[in-house]
Amino acid sequence: MTDRYASFANSGPGRTLVKRLGLPDPPRLRRHRPGDPLLPGPALLGAAPGGRLRDQVAKILTAAGVELREPAAATDATADGRSAERYGALIFDATGITDSTGLRALYDFFHPYARGLTPSGRVIVLGTPPEACATPREATAQRALEGLTRSIGKEFGRGSTSQLVYVDRDGSPVSLESTLRFLLSGRSAYVSGQVIRIGPGPATAPADWDRPLAGRVALVTGAARGIGAELARVLARDGARVVALDVPAAGDELAAVANAIGGEAVQLDLTAADAPDRLARYLADRHGQLDVLVHNAGITRDKTLGRMDPGRWDAVLDVNLSSQERINDVLLDRDLIRAGGRLIGVSSIAGLAGNRGQTNYATSKAGVVGLVRSMAPVLADREITVNAVAPGFIETRLTARIPLMLREAGRRMNSMAQGGLPVDVAETIAWLASPAAGGITGNVVRVCGQSLLGA
Amino acid sequence: MTDRYASFANSGPGRTLVKRLGLPDPPRLRRHRPGDPLLPGPALLGAAPGGRLRDQVAKILTAAGVELREPAAATDATADGRSAERYGALIFDATGITDSTGLRALYDFFHPYARGLTPSGRVIVLGTPPEACATPREATAQRALEGLTRSIGKEFGRGSTSQLVYVDRDGSPVSLESTLRFLLSGRSAYVSGQVIRIGPGPATAPADWDRPLAGRVALVTGAARGIGAELARVLARDGARVVALDVPAAGDELAAVANAIGGEAVQLDLTAADAPDRLARYLADRHGQLDVLVHNAGITRDKTLGRMDPGRWDAVLDVNLSSQERINDVLLDRDLIRAGGRLIGVSSIAGLAGNRGQTNYATSKAGVVGLVRSMAPVLADREITVNAVAPGFIETRLTARIPLMLREAGRRMNSMAQGGLPVDVAETIAWLASPAAGGITGNVVRVCGQSLLGA
């Protein structure tokens, strides 16, 4: 569960050796600690002429305690493309770009500051969703932004991240705020190269941004260990009353997780025929309604298709997909998920890209993407959002069992040259779970350090 | 421009060494030769109960001279998952699957035959586009298909390909036929792991499937060399009158290409202010209207963003994106593209995934995706389709200049363990250019051997 190479590479003698031999150089990632400022340095905020988000973003950042800088006139940046100051973030409002010739504004903004980011710095480009653009020319230019942000994520290095945030013209300002707070902070340490869409939808700013889930009830499945256990902890830290659920066989570990956070432990096999009903009755009795439901439980049963027995197919599809659909349907039918509720699924890079030996797993995880996309418009009427995260290589007991060479490939083949931690997935889910995230639905966000692998 | 390792690995002594040392084992891919049958063996055709495409597909395949087999009852397949016969293709109509529990039909069909494909065999799954499904449950199951086909592409090996074809309920039968012919044949040798959407839209079956472009006029930009030169040859072979265009500096090579295929050479710098007008007048004078327009011209000017001079940004964006928009607009304004016309752009894996040192190139190629998506609905009214191909690692003079280790990584990190050839891109474009492809618009199809790289 530990990346010994990364620890070594960040030690005194390790650093020297890594540089001399040109070995992979996994940076120490900035992660959130209570009381940390959002950024380790000021943010540089620029905009293409006519941008509609610059002022809104400036207000959000200032209120969040971020020091703002304006891009200097071209002559102030030194000739070799270095600026004197170091920035915690480079943020660019590209919504004013309505034609591909206007993309030059991106170059003008980023070129002089490309090497001016602090380690674990942040790049955020804000755009208009191509499907909401007035003309094909505008849609083309806005879609082009993705090529830039993904390239920057692979180029800037040193733990920096780069994202494209598409904000609808009626996109929720509160959700934009919560998204910027997430992306700038150390909570998004392992999220990079992503495209996030913010739409309308009712969203509520929390009284305390450090406890956005105060007074909310959250159910986490598969909570006994790994990502689920960490998620239970993070949601509780954010103020939620956490119902931690897992199979009876994991009862002891589950109890330990629940006790440590003052939550409840529920032992239940979600694939049992009566599970949805039993869960529904438990929630109705104890909590009335649920605010946050995270379908984190998942299993793998790897085999190539020719060698796979039907039990492996059925078990993976049922745990990872079908049982979740059954539970959603029952909880929604009985009105057990409150307006303002948050459904969150867990997909996987394998679900997006496919994987050898995982036809069953990839099919189930691709299904999670389908579930999110197809349920989002249906649930919007009830003011419930549905999103998923798609983890890449995360350091857990599961990945510790992967053979060394494959494990090293998975760990290093991303922009961070290291695996992520369960907390990285948990923080991403917590962002989507927040009452402020009401404008975010139908999204699938990878937590993969911008893994090279994809579809 | 040659992959010496692949030649060696396919030689007598090479095969032995490759097996002994566990080296990458690039198979010799089946490519189209005139007179070849579509498949080297019979096709196994199955369907989930209620599938709406099985009979249509059976008719298409039989007419195309493909021998059809029905899946045996479970007991006929031998116990270890091997069937006795070898199949050129495994084709499954999954449109009857309306719920994730129904996905089991995929396992039942593919498991017994997973090792029953000939080398360079074909896997095709047919589904309903998730956005056109009646219920979220159905959309979820249909989206899950993508996890299966992408995994099979990575698992089956030996030059086999695997695709998911979504067919609208009113999807064009002619376009389904042309797509099946393309995917089964050696023309799609380097296309795998793709998701293709077939909608309505008027499509015309050619009198001769070997000369679908007879009587059509096709313009190819960047035609003097590489992919463009090969494309000119393939479109001419398919019957088109080809207008081969390139910059004046490439005049000699361009003339050679045009002469070899009995086409026309046009020397023009497409970024010149008067280029759209000059091209429009040339086409109007010589041909009246154009049937096929392939924007193949493209350049790279690689540098990291901090070291990139503005000229590199501007040149790449203008050649690869803005000049193409200007030309489209003028030709469309003057009604120089016939109803039934085909616009085809060239994107790139770098445009989808981003790439270090290619912020300019990736931005332009992501823009091509935006152009295709945003123009498709607009042009549908004029019965013109617009699509793009996104090549991965293709063996050309350009890639021959990549440093050895990077070149080897690019070549091997895909399901074929080798680079593609210019003809692979050309055949894919020819499929999209056909009058039969009227039901295909807004698609971006990768020609990358299912490269691991993606977004």
Side-chain angles (χ1 to χ4, degrees):
Chain A
M1 261 188 281
T2 53
D3 181 350
R4 287 193 193 151
Y5 174 79
S7 310
F8 167 73
N10 278 299
S11 69
R15 291 222 64 74
T16 314
L17 210 62
V18 158
K19 293 232 157 127
R20 286 248 177 98
L21 299 180
L23 295 175
D25 187 9
R28 213 187 289 276
L29 302 183
R30 170 168 65 97
R31 288 196 168 85
H32 173 73
R33 287 168 311 187
D36 275 358
L38 277 186
L39 281 178
L44 188 78
L45 175 60
R52 63 188 159 81
L53 293 172
R54 196 207 160 282
D55 293 351
Q56 190 182 334
V57 169
K59 222 157 53 179
I60 288 171
L61 295 183
T62 305
V66 173
E67 257 186 277
L68 280 189
R69 297 279 188 279
E70 302 257 338
T75 47
D76 295 1
T78 58
D80 70 341
R82 288 169 191 276
S83 67
E85 199 170 14
R86 296 269 146 183
Y87 299 96
L90 305 176
I91 306 174
F92 190 73
D93 172 9
T95 57
I97 300 176
T98 56
D99 182 283
S100 63
T101 55
L103 292 166
R104 171 65 186 271
L106 296 164
Y107 172 85
D108 293 337
F109 176 74
F110 284 107
H111 165 68
Y113 303 100
R115 282 169 283 170
L117 268 186
T118 58
S120 287
R122 300 290 186 250
V123 170
I124 299 175
V125 174
L126 301 153
T128 301
E131 59 278 12
C133 286
T135 65
R137 287 278 187 115
E138 183 183 6
T140 298
Q142 291 294 318
R143 179 61 178 75
L145 300 174
E146 203 179 312
L148 182 87
T149 54
R150 290 191 191 274
S151 295
I152 285 179
K154 294 186 175 179
E155 189 170 298
F156 280 16
R158 300 200 307 156
S160 64
T161 68
S162 176
Q163 333 280 357
L164 173 57
V165 181
Y166 282 129
V167 185
D168 265 327
R169 264 167 245 282
D170 56 355
S172 158
V174 171
S175 295
L176 177 56
E177 173 164 8
S178 71
T179 299
L180 290 174
R181 284 174 173 269
F182 170 67
L183 293 178
L184 296 176
S185 77
R187 298 176 200 258
S188 61
Y190 203 63
V191 176
S192 188
Q194 296 308 291
V195 180
I196 294 160
R197 283 178 152 75
I198 299 180
T204 318
D208 177 354
W209 281 99
D210 282 332
R211 289 180 63 79
L213 296 175
R216 313 265 157 168
V217 181
L219 171 66
V220 177
T221 70
R225 58 182 76 145
I227 292 170
E230 188 63 23
L231 175 59
R233 193 189 64 74
V234 166
L235 296 180
R237 177 205 67 190
D238 281 1
R241 172 79 185 169
V242 174
V243 182
L245 186 150
D246 216 310
V247 289
D252 290 351
E253 288 172 291
L254 183 69
V257 168
N259 290 341
I261 59 170
E264 298 159 36
V266 174
Q267 296 184 14
L268 188 62
D269 173 2
L270 291 169
T271 64
D274 63 347
D277 178 63
R278 285 178 57 196
L279 181 60
R281 281 189 289 114
Y282 177 89
L283 293 170
D285 290 353
R286 294 282 293 248
H287 300 286
Q289 283 179 310
L290 198 59
D291 297 283
V292 177
L293 168 52
V294 186
H295 286 295
N296 167 71
I299 59 170
T300 56
R301 295 285 182 273
D302 298 357
K303 278 284 176 198
T304 57
L305 197 44
R307 294 179 186 280
M308 188 183 291
D309 59 85
R312 285 173 189 263
W313 178 275
D314 291 344
V316 167
L317 267 290
D318 198 40
V319 172
N320 297 2
L321 185 58
S322 303
S323 69
Q324 302 183 8
E325 293 180 288
R326 292 195 299 271
I327 285 162
N328 287 345
D329 284 359
V330 168
L331 298 190
L332 289 165
D333 277 355
R334 301 193 193 170
D335 201 21
L336 289 173
I337 299 177
R338 205 187 304 275
R342 306 278 178 258
L343 278 184
I344 298 158
V346 177
S347 182
S348 158
I349 299 288
L352 304 177
N355 199 13
R356 187 183 140 75
Q358 295 199 308
T359 46
N360 49 0
Y361 185 74
T363 302
S364 73
K365 294 300 190 178
V368 170
V369 175
L371 188 154
V372 161
R373 298 264 160 81
S374 60
M375 293 287 283
V378 175
L379 294 181
D381 296 340
R382 300 171 63 162
E383 302 192 359
I384 295 169
T385 66
V386 50
N387 296 283
V389 295
F393 187 97
I394 304 296
E395 305 280 354
T396 64
R397 272 194 254 181
L398 223 76
T399 49
R401 287 205 300 261
I402 298 174
L404 178 71
M405 290 307 290
L406 269 179
R407 188 166 75 233
E408 273 302 299
R411 263 182 184 147
R412 307 293 164 219
M413 280 172 58
N414 58 67
S415 295
M416 308 297 157
Q418 61 194 287
L421 301 181
V423 69
D424 298 324
V425 182
E427 296 278 16
T428 307
I429 292 175
W431 156 61
L432 296 168
S434 160
I440 306 170
T441 192
N443 279 245
V444 177
V445 180
R446 289 170 51 148
V447 186
C448 66
Q450 195 178 27
S451 166
L452 293 183
L453 304 182
Chain B
M1 263 190 279
T2 54
D3 182 349
R4 288 193 193 149
Y5 175 79
S7 310
F8 167 72
N10 279 301
S11 68
R15 292 222 62 74
T16 315
L17 209 63
V18 159
K19 292 234 157 126
R20 287 249 175 98
L21 300 180
L23 296 175
D25 188 7
R28 214 186 290 275
L29 302 183
R30 171 168 64 96
R31 289 197 167 85
H32 173 73
R33 287 169 312 187
D36 274 357
L38 276 185
L39 281 177
L44 187 79
L45 175 61
R52 62 186 160 84
L53 294 171
R54 196 207 160 281
D55 294 348
Q56 190 181 335
V57 169
K59 222 158 50 180
I60 288 170
L61 295 184
T62 305
V66 174
E67 257 186 276
L68 280 189
R69 298 279 187 279
E70 302 257 337
T75 47
D76 296 359
T78 60
D80 71 341
R82 288 170 193 276
S83 67
E85 199 171 13
R86 297 268 146 187
Y87 299 97
L90 305 176
I91 306 175
F92 191 72
D93 173 9
T95 56
I97 300 176
T98 56
D99 183 282
S100 64
T101 56
L103 293 166
R104 172 63 186 273
L106 297 165
Y107 172 85
D108 292 337
F109 175 75
F110 284 107
H111 165 68
Y113 302 100
R115 281 169 285 168
L117 268 185
T118 59
S120 288
R122 301 289 186 251
V123 170
I124 299 176
V125 174
L126 301 152
T128 300
E131 59 277 13
C133 286
T135 65
R137 285 279 186 114
E138 184 183 4
T140 297
Q142 291 294 320
R143 179 61 178 74
L145 300 175
E146 201 179 313
L148 181 86
T149 53
R150 290 190 192 275
S151 295
I152 284 179
K154 294 185 175 179
E155 190 170 297
F156 281 14
R158 301 200 306 155
S160 64
T161 68
S162 176
Q163 332 281 356
L164 173 56
V165 181
Y166 283 129
V167 185
D168 265 328
R169 264 167 245 281
D170 56 357
S172 158
V174 172
S175 296
L176 176 56
E177 173 165 7
S178 71
T179 299
L180 289 174
R181 284 174 174 269
F182 170 67
L183 293 178
L184 295 176
S185 77
R187 298 177 200 258
S188 61
Y190 204 62
V191 176
S192 188
Q194 295 308 291
V195 180
I196 294 161
R197 284 176 152 76
I198 299 181
T204 317
D208 177 355
W209 281 100
D210 282 332
R211 290 179 62 79
L213 296 175
R216 312 264 158 170
V217 180
L219 171 66
V220 177
T221 70
R225 57 182 78 145
I227 292 170
E230 188 62 23
L231 176 59
R233 192 189 64 74
V234 167
L235 296 181
R237 178 204 67 190
D238 282 2
R241 171 81 187 169
V242 174
V243 181
L245 185 150
D246 215 312
V247 289
D252 290 350
E253 288 172 293
L254 182 69
V257 168
N259 290 341
I261 60 170
E264 298 159 36
V266 175
Q267 297 185 13
L268 187 63
D269 173 2
L270 292 168
T271 62
D274 64 347
D277 177 62
R278 283 179 57 196
L279 180 59
R281 281 190 288 115
Y282 177 89
L283 292 171
D285 290 352
R286 293 283 292 248
H287 301 286
Q289 282 180 311
L290 199 59
D291 298 283
V292 177
L293 168 53
V294 186
H295 286 296
N296 165 72
I299 59 171
T300 56
R301 295 285 182 274
D302 298 357
K303 278 283 176 197
T304 57
L305 197 45
R307 294 179 187 279
M308 189 183 290
D309 60 85
R312 284 173 189 262
W313 179 275
D314 291 344
V316 168
L317 267 291
D318 199 39
V319 172
N320 297 2
L321 186 57
S322 303
S323 69
Q324 302 183 8
E325 293 180 287
R326 290 195 300 270
I327 285 162
N328 287 345
D329 284 0
V330 168
L331 298 190
L332 289 165
D333 277 355
R334 300 193 194 171
D335 200 22
L336 290 173
I337 300 177
R338 208 186 303 274
R342 307 279 178 257
L343 278 184
I344 298 159
V346 177
S347 182
S348 157
I349 299 287
L352 305 177
N355 199 13
R356 186 183 142 76
Q358 295 199 309
T359 46
N360 49 359
Y361 184 74
T363 301
S364 72
K365 294 299 189 178
V368 170
V369 175
L371 188 155
V372 161
R373 298 265 161 79
S374 60
M375 294 287 283
V378 175
L379 294 182
D381 296 341
R382 300 171 64 163
E383 303 192 358
I384 295 169
T385 66
V386 51
N387 296 283
V389 295
F393 187 98
I394 305 295
E395 305 282 351
T396 64
R397 271 194 253 183
L398 222 78
T399 50
R401 287 205 300 262
I402 299 174
L404 177 72
M405 290 306 291
L406 269 178
R407 189 167 74 232
E408 273 302 298
R411 265 183 183 147
R412 307 293 164 220
M413 281 172 58
N414 57 69
S415 294
M416 308 298 158
Q418 61 195 287
L421 301 182
V423 70
D424 299 324
V425 182
E427 296 280 15
T428 307
I429 291 175
W431 155 62
L432 295 168
S434 161
I440 306 169
T441 192
N443 278 247
V444 178
V445 180
R446 287 169 53 146
V447 186
C448 66
Q450 196 178 28
S451 166
L452 293 182
L453 304 182

